[in-house]
Amino acid sequence: MKLGIIGGGPSGFYVASRILSRTSRPLRIDIYDRLWCPHGLVRYGVAPDHPEVKNCVHKFDQAASDSRLRFFGNVNIGNTGGFGHNLQLPVQSLFKNYTHLLFATGCTKPRLHPSLPPQKDVVLPALDVVHWYTAHPSNVSPPPLDKVKHVSIIGLGNVSLDVARILLMSPEELAPYDVPESVLDVLRRSTIEHVSIIGRRGPLEAAFTTKELREMMNLSEARMVPLDPSVLQVEEGTKLTRQQSRTLDLLKKGSKNTDSSSKKTWSLEFYRNPLEIAPSHNSHAHGRTLSLGHTEVDKTTGKAVPTGLTTQLPTDLVITSLGFHGESFTLPSSSSSSTPTADVDLYSPTLGHLRTLSPTNRLVSPTPSGHILKHMYASGWAAMGAKGVLAATMMDAYNVADEGILKDVVMADQEVESGKLEEELLLNPDESSVDLNSLPSEIEKGLVEGAVTTYEDWRKVDEEERRRAKEGKERERMLSWEEVSRYLRR
Ligand code: NAP
């Protein structure tokens, strides 16, 4: 087997590490990423004050020490996305060089609210804020924190609470973590006084987990405005899950910090859905007015429905945090077939992720043919959508490795599941001719020119970032590809 993995985030590395630990036979796993470094969301998504979540990188480092695994960074594959400095690798080059392909491409696009399209310095997707505080290569501008007093965050997920916490924590508390000095400087200049976290459903339906809610309650310098007790009342006879009971308990107890003189406050606004944002008429207070439609939860469907009432919320900055979706990925029509076939987009806009067959996550072409694509798989958010914590991603990845890829290799050419194999989209049709060591010529050239990075390069940058950090600080990140490539050339 020569497996090409597109995406060097946690799910790709979990699949690779599982395969390497389950077999000692000769094989090759090459992981490609358009980021110059490995670990995807672990470096560019996990909140800096959650360093324990990043411990999975030890497992990934161990996998990368196996000579059967190679990493190639700064390589964009396919028809979408990527950064200007990426080396572009056509999908056809992968087809020629690999016998198996895994898509571990994640969900990289923010879901947007129909009433709140992004608007510079007024409406920002939470992803931009996360990319700013993690110094992601997309190089977004910092949010205008020195010009705002009131911030509205839309959505009740963990990303909303991550962003709210980073905005409300004192910069001094954040300083020992992996937060670039330039980000801390912006936070030091912040004039934020209040953060409203707004959701269309109630406390029982909130997507955030209790650990993250407790962290909000424990903020040392910010206090939650107590909720109206009627919001926390539960209809008699309602059976609550453990998570729901804990959420209600935490919301009833409120903030640990009860000091009413706290400079910063935050609040949860349940049963509210944004309708519109407009410039404020009362310009000396806040810059904008956010119209919020009142909602209730339909008992049959569980969905939020409007009640017809509205409220006006004066605010300065809106951050939308509504989850994520994947990207289109087109496989070009087969060149190996005598009958030309159409291009195939693996992505389903309806699902928000690639089309896969559960539980082995084999890729499936779109209906009406709906064929299983031989030796092609997806894992993690690319396969399931943007849900679940890292432990769920790991379980999914292990399943794809055990039940999909390894079974196919050991039981070569088994009849997979009940579907028909898509013969037109075979990867390298002559597997016996594949050389485990060879690389696509574009990658060979990119390595020579310094346009492609390896895991060894990452280890060097990692070491240097730790060395640069002030005493007591985890690391001081390199902030751009230019800085990284300059350092590596030296
Ligand atoms: P999420 O958990 O899916 O939450 C999205 C929120 O947006 C929900 O409250 C949802 O409300 C709301 N929403 C979606 N569409 C909306 C619309 N059109 N109008 C109003 N509200 C809308 O997404 P996330 O916070 O981005 O997190 C993604 C995944 O990463 C989750 O599995 C999360 O647990 C995980 N994560 C974990 C951590 C951690 O472990 N610390 C940190 C960050 C992220 P409805 O429920 O009403 O749809």
Side-chain angles (χ1 to χ4, degrees), residues 45 50 53 111-114 154-160 162 199-201 205-209 211-212 273-274 304 321-324 381 386-389:
H50 287 169
V53 179
R111 245 190 241 144
L112 300 177
H113 195 283
I154 317 296
L156 299 176
N158 278 334
V159 171
S160 290
D162 277 356
R200 61 183 171 183
R201 298 194 289 163
E205 294 84 19
F208 51 64
T209 41
K211 173 178 173 279
E212 279 64 26
N273 201 12
S321 180
L322 313 176
F324 302 91
W381 282 10
K387 53 176 186 264
V389 292

Side-chain angles (χ1 to χ4, degrees), residues 57-74:
V57 300
H58 301 312
K59 195 179 204 43
F60 306 156
D61 283 345
Q62 198 188 350
S65 305
D66 190 312
S67 59
R68 294 172 295 172
L69 180 98
R70 300 183 291 196
F71 171 80
F72 302 109
N74 199 39

